[in-house]
Amino acid sequence: MKKKDKVDYVKNGKRLDGRKVDELRPIKIEAGVLQRADGSAYLEWGQNKVLVAVYGPREALPKHIQNPYRALVNYNYRMATFSVPDRKSPKPGRREIEISKVSGEALERAIFLERFPNTTIDVFVEILDSNAGTRVAALSAASVALADAGIPMRDLVSAVGVGKAGGEVILDLNKAEEDAPDAVDMPIAMLPRTKEIVLLQMDGLFTKKEWQKSMKLAEKGCEQVYEAQREALRKKFLEAEKEDKKSKKAGDQ
Ligand code: CDP
C-alpha cells in the first residue's frame, strides 16, 4: 500500500466515525415488543437492528431430543436478505449455523436449565440491518428477551466486540474498521456480575499487551451494555405495573 493510501483509523484520538477508542455506538433496547412471543426485544446498536422472539420453556419435540435433566436452548440467528449490501440467501449458511451454536451455548451458562427438564427454550433472532457486531448485538438483545419471558437466569448476558484497526485497540468495531488490513475482531460475552466469559471468538492476532488492553475495554463495554439492558427491563416492568394498577382501579369501579 502506498503511504498516501494509508487510512488513519484513529486520528487525534478520533475514529473514522468520530468515536473515541473506548466508545460504543449508540444503543437502544426495548423489551416486550411482540405480542405472540413469550418474551421479546428490539435493539438498535449503531446501524445494527435486531429483533428477538423467545418461546418456552415448552415441551421439546420430537421426544427423542428431550433431556430429562435440563432444558435445551435452541438459538436461531438469521440475517434478513436485505440486511447486508449483497442480497443474503434466505437459506441459513455456515456462518449463521456457527453463530447460532456459540450464542446458544453462551445463554445456557446464564439460564437455570435444570429447572425445566424435557423442554426447549427457542430463541429466534432476526438481523434486519447490519454494520458489524451483529452477533454481540443479537446476544445482548436475546438475554433481554429471555428475561422478558420470565425465564430464571443467574445474570443477563452482555456482549460487545473489541479489536484492532490501523494498529489501535478499539471498542465496538464497525464494518470499515473490521475491514482494516491488520484488523482483529474479537466478540466477547460475559455475565457482568461475576465477569464469567461465556463467549469469546477471535479473528486475527493480538500481542499480549493488546490482548490485555482489549479485555479491559471489553469489560467496560459490557458494563455499558448491561446498563442499557437493565434500563430496558426496568422500563418494561414499570409500564406493566402501571397497566396492572390501572386495570385494577377500573375493576374496583
Ligand atoms: O456481524 P458480526 O460482526 O457478528 O459478524 P461478521 O461475520 O464479522 O460480519 C461482519 C459484518 O459483515 C456483518 O455485520 C454484516 O454487516 C457483514 N456481512 C455481509 O455483508 N454479508 C454477509 N453474508 C455476512 C456479513
Side-chain angles (χ1 to χ4, degrees):
M1 191 191 288
K2 285 186 207 146
K3 212 170 176 190
K4 69 174 176 56
D5 295 334
K6 199 172 162 280
V7 180
D8 283 323
Y9 287 91
V10 181
K11 202 174 177 183
N12 304 324
K14 290 266 173 80
R15 290 153 67 174
L16 297 172
D17 58 6
R19 279 184 291 156
K20 290 185 263 174
V21 290
D22 60 350
E23 193 175 335
L24 294 176
R25 290 171 285 182
I27 299 180
K28 273 197 296 190
I29 313 177
E30 201 180 328
V33 290
L34 300 171
Q35 285 274 313
R36 187 171 302 287
D38 295 324
S40 58
Y42 173 68
L43 171 146
E44 289 183 4
W45 185 334
Q47 190 192 328
N48 294 321
K49 295 188 175 66
V50 185
L51 191 57
V52 183
V54 165
Y55 289 83
R58 57 186 178 183
E59 186 184 11
L61 290 171
K63 274 197 174 217
H64 70 82
I65 67 164
Q66 292 183 356
N67 183 325
Y69 300 106
R70 66 175 189 92
L72 308 170
V73 174
N74 171 31
Y75 190 100
N76 294 274
Y77 167 102
R78 296 287 180 268
M79 278 192 127
T81 50
F82 51 82
S83 67
V84 285
D86 296 324
R87 179 184 178 273
K88 151 88 189 52
S89 156
K91 202 171 118 194
R94 184 207 57 81
R95 178 178 168 278
E96 285 159 304
I97 294 167
E98 173 209 308
I99 293 176
S100 299
K101 179 181 188 292
V102 294
S103 305
E105 286 168 1
L107 291 179
E108 283 181 357
R109 303 288 304 167
I111 302 168
F112 289 104
L113 299 171
E114 62 285 357
R115 296 197 192 168
F116 307 102
N118 300 319
T119 67
T120 174
I121 297 167
D122 297 311
V123 183
F124 299 100
V125 169
E126 294 292 335
I127 306 295
L128 305 174
D129 199 356
S130 75
N131 190 315
T134 58
R135 76 193 67 196
V136 290
L139 200 41
S140 303
S143 75
V144 171
L146 285 167
D148 182 47
I151 292 173
M153 289 189 282
R154 291 177 179 82
D155 199 355
L156 294 170
V157 172
S158 306
V160 81
V162 274
K164 189 171 83 168
E168 301 274 352
V169 174
I170 49 180
L171 181 64
D172 185 25
L173 281 70
N174 62 26
K175 182 74 175 135
E177 291 165 336
E178 267 196 23
D179 289 343
D182 69 334
V184 179
D185 172 25
M186 186 164 82
I188 293 189
M190 52 176 86
L191 308 182
R193 278 188 307 120
T194 56
K195 309 265 183 279
E196 182 188 342
I197 293 175
V198 292
L199 176 144
L200 194 152
Q201 297 184 285
M202 194 168 171
D203 195 2
L205 290 172
F206 273 144
T207 62
K208 190 172 172 190
K209 259 210 174 122
E210 286 168 348
W211 160 268
Q212 286 163 339
K213 206 170 165 187
S214 39
M215 288 309 287
K216 277 210 183 106
L217 277 188
E219 214 174 282
K220 196 175 155 190
C222 282
E223 270 166 28
Q224 288 174 49
V225 173
Y226 192 44
E227 196 35 59
Q229 291 171 305
R230 292 199 304 172
E231 187 50 41
L233 288 165
R234 225 177 272 138
K235 199 166 162 231
K236 158 82 200 281
F237 288 108
L238 280 175
E239 270 166 20
E241 199 180 21
K242 251 193 229 161
E243 283 298 311
D244 199 38
K245 273 188 188 150
K246 233 196 248 168
S247 55
K248 265 197 193 131
K249 225 179 183 178
D252 287 345
Q253 281 165 5

